[in-house]
Amino acid sequence: MKKTYLLTPGPTPIPENVLALSAKPILHHRTPQFVKLMEDVKVQLKYVFQTKNDVLLLASTGTGAMDAAVTNLFKKGDTVITLNAGKFGERWTKIAKAYGLNPVEIKVEPGQSVTVGQVEQALNKNPNTRGVLFQASETSTGVAMPTREICDLVRKRENCISVVDAITALGVFDLRMDEWGIDVLITGSQKALMLPPGLACISLSDKAWKWSESSDIPKFYFDLAKERKALAKGQTAWTPAVSIIIGLQETLKMIKDEGLENVFKRHETLARATRAGIKALGLEMLAKDSPSIAMTAVLVPSEIKDGKGIPKTMRDKYGVTIAGGQDELEGKIFRLTHFGYVDKFDILIGIGALELTLKDLGYTKFEFGAGTGAVLKALASS
Ligand SMILES: Cc1ncc(COP(=O)(O)O)c(C=O)c1O
């Protein structure tokens, strides 16, 4: 028998009470029962998004909401600034190009965050910019962006909106949509919302809704105005991801019961403990200056020639699934995740399996228990 554990940046583990709900008979979506469910979910989502505006639900993964943001808010030929600190920032550029926008990309080295100064400079150089599109947490490198400061820059410009992919940030750390003037905020179900993949959430500020009025990009399925109209009646425009929305009601309740502040604190504690373990093993993080508390991207030590062997051994031999690096970072980093339905003992499991794996692969610069001991100390002192 081998027990398995999921410590990837999505899908993340699903709470047992939520899994149990999926065994219940399916609900039809054009019924008063579904409307009642949506009315509750609508209110609770505003709490997690920290907004008074509606949060729309799309039956898609997170990328669907990124796509919808571009097609619903901009016009062909619009200049937008995209922040590329990794694979998901690059996705903004690709989507913008696909729909005929003119993306001005700020690209930084893997592990670095884009600075507010860089964004300000790009905005000054491109005064006709209609949007700044970026990640609050760049999952491919484990970097956090200065979301509040960037949105602060943007909100002062009448002709520009901020579009924030918070797919591994919302429900992980503080993102005050209304207070910070975030114009578009996006997440996906399989992340800190602790659900299976297949549901995307997107909220627009009043300013962003104004942008949508002048958009000329063809759209049909992802038509946010249609979704808003449907949501006013407790519905979605098309058949919703009913089972995931049933689970969402439960996970939103869990978040509310724990309290957003405590959810953020828990994630901070778990990130600190993970990093104490990594350091005690003599390993280095990829993100030096601005790590996201959602995940820890670790450089493969030079003693290990086959970097891809780390996630493979952890998964196949020890049953602990973590993520490796993507594209140019393949084989160079591995990523331990600590958000969603995760608590302190999950961190011990992750670091424990890592210790065994490192020894298996020939990295011997530590004594067994160095990492897990450091995790325990960090947890005990928090
Ligand atoms: C920051 C970020 N943006 C976008 C995506 C894409 O989301 P999806 O795979 O749900 O389409 C991911 C997925 O991991 C992500 O982490």
Side-chain angles (χ1 to χ4, degrees):
M1 202 269 291
K2 187 163 67 187
K3 213 167 161 181
T4 56
Y5 304 88
L6 190 58
L7 296 178
T8 65
T12 58
I14 300 171
E16 295 76 7
N17 51 332
V18 177
L19 287 173
L21 286 175
S22 56
K24 286 191 169 181
I26 191 78
L27 193 64
H28 194 274
H29 53 291
R30 306 298 183 211
T31 59
Q33 288 81 358
F34 183 79
V35 170
K36 190 163 174 266
L37 165 71
M38 280 294 276
E39 292 300 343
D40 182 43
V41 162
K42 222 161 101 172
V43 174
Q44 302 310 330
L45 270 173
K46 289 183 185 187
Y47 169 71
V48 179
F49 271 67
Q50 303 193 57
T51 183
K52 66 171 178 36
N53 281 312
D54 282 334
V55 180
L56 309 174
L57 297 179
L58 310 175
S60 76
T61 66
T63 306
M66 292 172 75
D67 197 290
V70 172
T71 57
N72 281 266
L73 294 168
F74 297 106
K75 300 193 293 287
K76 285 179 201 155
D78 271 356
T79 296
V80 291
I81 294 174
T82 54
L83 311 191
N84 178 351
K87 196 174 168 60
F88 296 107
E90 183 191 46
R91 188 164 301 176
W92 276 132
T93 310
K94 285 185 177 170
I95 299 172
K97 276 188 186 155
Y99 290 110
L101 274 59
N102 168 35
V104 174
E105 188 180 78
I106 305 176
K107 186 169 165 40
V108 292
E109 289 300 311
Q112 284 183 356
S113 176
V114 176
T115 64
V116 187
Q118 283 173 300
V119 179
E120 186 163 27
Q121 214 177 13
L123 279 168
N124 289 340
K125 217 168 148 191
N126 300 279
N128 57 345
T129 299
R130 295 198 78 240
V132 177
L133 285 55
F134 65 101
Q135 275 61 38
S137 168
E138 172 53 65
T139 317
S140 64
T141 59
V143 159
M145 298 282 203
T147 302
R148 183 180 191 165
E149 292 78 3
I150 294 172
C151 291
D152 214 36
L153 269 185
V154 172
R155 80 195 300 186
K156 290 181 191 133
R157 292 166 201 254
E158 266 174 33
N159 63 337
C160 191
I161 56 169
S162 53
V163 181
V164 181
D165 162 0
I167 289 175
T168 54
L170 192 111
V172 181
F173 53 82
D174 205 8
L175 286 174
R176 303 184 187 184
M177 183 167 181
D178 291 356
E179 195 182 318
W180 297 357
I182 299 172
D183 290 306
V184 181
L185 194 58
I186 293 169
T187 196
S189 53
Q190 78 277 28
K191 309 287 180 176
L193 293 177
M194 307 178 278
L195 295 162
L199 184 75
C201 314
I202 179 167
S203 185
L204 273 62
S205 69
D206 296 339
K207 189 175 172 189
W209 279 114
K210 283 222 173 67
W211 254 234
S212 74
E213 287 164 16
S214 60
S215 166
D216 66 355
I217 299 175
K219 55 200 139 284
F220 185 79
Y221 185 75
F222 291 128
D223 185 333
L224 297 183
K226 255 192 213 136
E227 290 295 348
R228 179 153 78 155
K229 242 185 180 169
L231 190 66
K233 296 186 207 140
Q235 288 285 346
T236 51
W238 323 114
T239 303
V242 180
S243 315
I244 308 179
I245 296 175
I246 291 172
L248 179 62
Q249 183 180 36
E250 189 63 25
T251 58
L252 288 172
K253 185 175 178 308
M254 288 170 70
I255 293 171
K256 186 78 193 282
D257 288 349
E258 187 177 354
L260 262 188
E261 283 291 311
N262 294 326
V263 170
F264 302 150
K265 273 191 206 142
R266 171 166 53 85
H267 288 130
E268 270 167 33
T269 301
L270 300 183
R272 208 175 314 117
T274 304
R275 285 152 198 186
I278 291 300
K279 195 167 168 217
L281 295 174
L283 300 173
E284 262 182 74
M285 284 166 63
L286 172 68
K288 304 261 181 325
D289 301 327
S290 182
S292 163
I293 62 162
M295 78 277 313
T296 300
V298 184
L299 293 166
V300 170
S302 57
E303 291 81 354
I304 296 180
K305 296 298 165 228
D306 173 22
K308 286 194 274 181
I310 296 177
K312 186 175 184 320
T313 306
M314 280 184 73
R315 182 190 62 231
D316 296 347
K317 189 164 176 193
Y318 299 111
V320 179
T321 304
I322 62 162
Q326 297 162 287
D327 297 340
E328 59 184 320
L329 292 173
E330 194 177 342
K332 295 189 181 147
I333 62 163
F334 59 93
R335 292 171 292 155
L336 295 161
T337 304
H338 25 76
F339 69 84
Y341 187 52
V342 177
D343 87 349
K344 36 192 175 303
F345 295 108
D346 294 305
I347 307 302
L348 268 181
I349 288 167
I351 297 292
L354 178 63
E355 289 197 21
L356 291 165
T357 299
L358 291 171
K359 290 273 190 207
D360 286 346
L361 298 181
Y363 177 76
T364 54
K365 274 189 178 165
F366 68 96
E367 293 292 326
F368 268 134
T372 47
V375 169
L376 282 173
K377 276 188 203 137
L379 290 173
S381 68
S382 64

